[in-house]
Each structure stands twice: as C-alpha cells, then as structure tokens.
Amino acid sequence: MSKSYRSQLVGCFGNPVDENPTGVMEEAAFREKGLDFRYLTVLVRKEDLGKAMDGVRAFNMRGVNLTIPHKVRVLQYLDDLSEAARITGAVNMVVNNDGKLWGENTDGKGFLISLQKEGIDVSGKRVVVLGAGGAARAISVECALAGAERITIINRNPQRGEELVSLINSKTKASAQFLPWVDGVDVPEKTDILANATSVGLFPNTDCKPDICYDTITDRMVVTDVIFNDPNSLFLGEAKARGAKTVNGLGMLVEQGALNFKLWTGVDAPVELMTEVLRKEFNL
Ligand code: NDP
C-alpha cells in the first residue's frame, strides 16, 4: 500500500469555542488507536456557518461537532438526519460520507449510555427533566425513544417547555407533560429519574443550584446533572444527602465523544482513556 501523508480532519465549530475541551479527549483517543486523525477547534461566527459547512466539503473533512450557536441552524446545510436529530431539530455532530453530510445528535445518547453504565435503564421509567434548552431536548427525546413511560418537563420559560412537551407527544410514543417552574417547585411524586439539564451550576457559577424543593427528592430516585466539570455540583450534593443515587455529567460528555469517535473512524473508542484525559483537564 502506498504511503499517505494526508490526515483525516474533524473538529468543532462554535462561538464561543476556545474553552471547549472535546478536542483534548478526541486527539488522545486518535493517538491511542494509532489513527491519523486531527481534531480542530475552530471559531465559526453565526453568519459564517454556511461557508464553514462548504469548507467541510471542500477540505474533505470527515466530520464536525457543532456547538453554540450552530446546533439548529446547521440543519439547512445537511443532506440527511438521524431520527433523534430530526425530532429534536438539533445536531451536535456531522459525518461527511463522500460529500453527503449526515447529522446526528449524540448528546441524548451519551446521557443514556452513561446511565446504562451505572445499571440504569430508562425504559418504563418516569423521568423529570429540569430545562427545555438544547441539552434538555436531546435528553428528553432520547429517553422517549428509549421507552420512558412518562416525561415531565419543568422549565422557567413556559412557552419553551410546552413546545418540547408537544414535540415529544406528537413525535414519540412517550407521554409528556409540562410543569411551570415556580420558586421551590416540588419534584413530582413517583419520579424515577430527575435530570438537571439547565445551565445552573455551570462553571464559574458553581455556587448556584436549581431552585427546587430538595426535600421532595427521595432515596429511590436517580438524580443526574449535565454539569460535567464539577462532579460534586450543589444540585447532586443535595440529592446525595437525601439518599438518591447520583450520576454527574462527565459520563455523558465522554460517551457522546465516544459515539462521535466511532461514527467518524469506525473504531471503538477508548472510553476509559477519554474519561481520564478529561478528569485531568478539569483537575478532578
Ligand atoms: P440552553 O441555553 O439551550 O438551555 C439552558 C436551559 O437552562 C434553559 O432551559 C433555561 O431556561 C435554563 N436555565 C438557565 N438559567 C436558569 C435558572 N436560573 N433557573 C432555571 N432555569 C434556568 O443550554 P444547553 O441546553 O445547550 O446547555 C445546558 C447545560 O448543559 C450547560 O451547562 C451545558 O454545559 C450542559 N451540557 C452538558 C453536556 C454533557 O455532555 N454533559 C452536553 C450538552 C450540554 P429558560 O428556557 O427558561 O431560559
């Protein structure tokens, strides 16, 4: 076989993007598996997304991740979508198959895998999601597709919350309901899984936690947080103090990265190494 000096290119388009840690774990994984791939963290402004997606084709990039503010607007530049991406209307990763761009949303799948690895299956469960933004949409749609019995969305902005509920009710078999976020809102009785999918508690605001009634959390609930750079978020601390099993957002971040790795390279990702690399990066 003749030698190739050409690397396969992948990367992340976003703004802001400088502090996005994904490249560190993907590059470490490429090295570990001996793959000649390069991950580029690229500043792409909102108005330049179309040109940047033309660039994916022009440079024959293998794919990209999309982050703020591109996850929804990128859909117009794609040729095809996965089921989850079609339902949520948001894409966090693209695969370039010989010039045909396919969009997927691996955030929700990463969430499900991180729960499975803790022995938790969402099928038949009553799931409560705090938030209705990008992460909440990905998590709740994927839980619905995985057979959750009931999904309750609690969100500050009622219109956004209601929209997500009608999306789940119209496009999946799960039954969803909306609860308005009043101060100190109760976690509904009989909740199996409570997921914080708001940005409350995100670094540097680690002294904040969602304004819910923590005394309504019980020891039979599983409580999860999307926040990944603080495994001991105040939110999870309150849940742990009430005896709940807790799962932090690091697993979700690693697992979505591992799915992206597999979709781009066809090779199973070295998940443990990726976790270790991120732990080191976040000083955990
Ligand atoms: P969005 O901006 O799309 O959504 C933010 C959500 O948080 C909205 O529902 C918003 O409510 C809610 N919110 C913000 N402030 C408050 C508050 N003070 N009280 C109650 N609700 C509030 O962000 P994303 O969904 O993209 O990201 C959310 C979080 O998830 C971020 O911290 C992000 O880092 C994390 N994330 C983690 C991932 C992982 O792999 N672990 C993957 C993706 C995201 P409203 O609609 O009322 O404004």
Side-chain angles (χ1 to χ4, degrees):
M1 215 167 73
S2 67
K3 199 163 180 174
S4 171
Y5 294 99
R6 178 170 72 88
S7 301
Q8 296 285 332
L9 300 180
V10 291
C12 180
F13 293 170
N15 184 21
V17 77
D18 295 14
E19 290 176 19
N20 190 304
T22 308
V24 180
M25 75 170 162
E26 297 290 1
E27 288 258 315
F30 296 143
R31 272 195 304 276
E32 170 77 8
K33 293 286 178 172
L35 297 168
D36 189 9
F37 273 64
R38 296 283 181 280
Y39 191 102
L40 311 170
T41 302
V42 187
L43 172 67
V44 175
R45 294 186 179 82
K46 201 172 176 179
E47 60 276 20
D48 292 327
L49 181 62
K51 284 184 264 179
M53 295 311 291
D54 282 345
V56 170
R57 289 191 175 91
F59 287 179
N60 290 293
M61 292 180 75
R62 178 61 179 142
V64 278
N65 282 133
L66 285 312
T67 185
I68 294 169
H70 304 311
K71 286 186 180 181
V72 174
R73 289 181 66 251
V74 74
L75 265 72
Q76 63 190 298
Y77 305 111
L78 303 180
D79 299 299
D80 202 5
L81 296 173
S82 73
E83 186 186 21
R86 189 170 296 120
I87 294 175
T88 49
V91 156
N92 75 331
M93 73 93 60
V94 168
V95 181
N96 180 4
N97 290 312
D98 298 325
K100 294 263 179 243
L101 302 187
W102 174 78
E104 164 67 297
N105 195 319
T106 52
D107 281 337
K109 291 184 176 73
F111 173 79
L112 287 187
I113 295 171
S114 73
L115 288 191
Q116 278 159 13
K117 290 201 169 166
E118 297 289 332
I120 302 151
D121 181 359
V122 302
S123 170
K125 299 280 170 33
R126 282 159 292 205
V127 181
V128 174
V129 177
L130 304 176
R137 287 168 84 90
I139 287 172
S140 52
V141 165
E142 212 66 64
C143 285
L145 294 175
E149 181 193 298
R150 189 167 184 76
I151 294 170
T152 303
I153 305 294
I154 302 180
N155 197 48
R156 204 174 46 172
N157 174 331
Q159 194 190 338
R160 230 173 160 194
E162 296 276 16
E163 266 170 27
L164 177 53
V165 162
S166 59
L167 189 90
I168 296 167
N169 282 331
S170 61
K171 297 197 174 162
T172 77
K173 290 186 183 128
S175 143
Q177 61 167 359
F178 173 70
L179 283 185
W181 196 322
V182 293
D183 294 347
V185 61
D186 286 354
V187 178
E189 266 182 65
K190 297 186 181 165
T191 295
D192 297 304
I193 297 168
L194 169 67
N196 174 33
T198 72
S199 43
V200 181
L202 182 63
F203 183 84
N205 301 314
T206 48
D207 55 345
C208 297
K209 59 181 189 241
D211 184 6
I212 64 168
C213 176
Y214 286 93
D215 283 334
T216 54
I217 293 179
T218 70
D219 60 5
R220 50 167 303 282
M221 293 181 192
V222 171
V223 178
T224 74
D225 202 340
V226 283
I227 303 301
F228 48 77
N229 44 10
D230 183 5
N232 303 310
S233 64
L234 288 185
F235 175 72
L236 290 185
E238 296 282 0
K240 221 177 266 175
R242 271 109 185 145
K245 180 177 174 63
T246 59
V247 181
N248 69 55
L250 185 65
M252 173 178 169
L253 183 66
V254 171
E255 296 298 345
Q256 62 85 30
L259 286 168
N260 300 340
F261 182 96
K262 175 83 194 230
L263 287 166
W264 288 325
T265 66
V267 174
D268 286 335
V271 177
E272 275 172 31
L273 171 100
M274 293 166 84
T275 308
E276 270 324 297
V277 166
L278 279 189
R279 273 190 201 288
K280 223 181 248 172
E281 204 57 31
F282 299 143
N283 297 316
L284 301 179

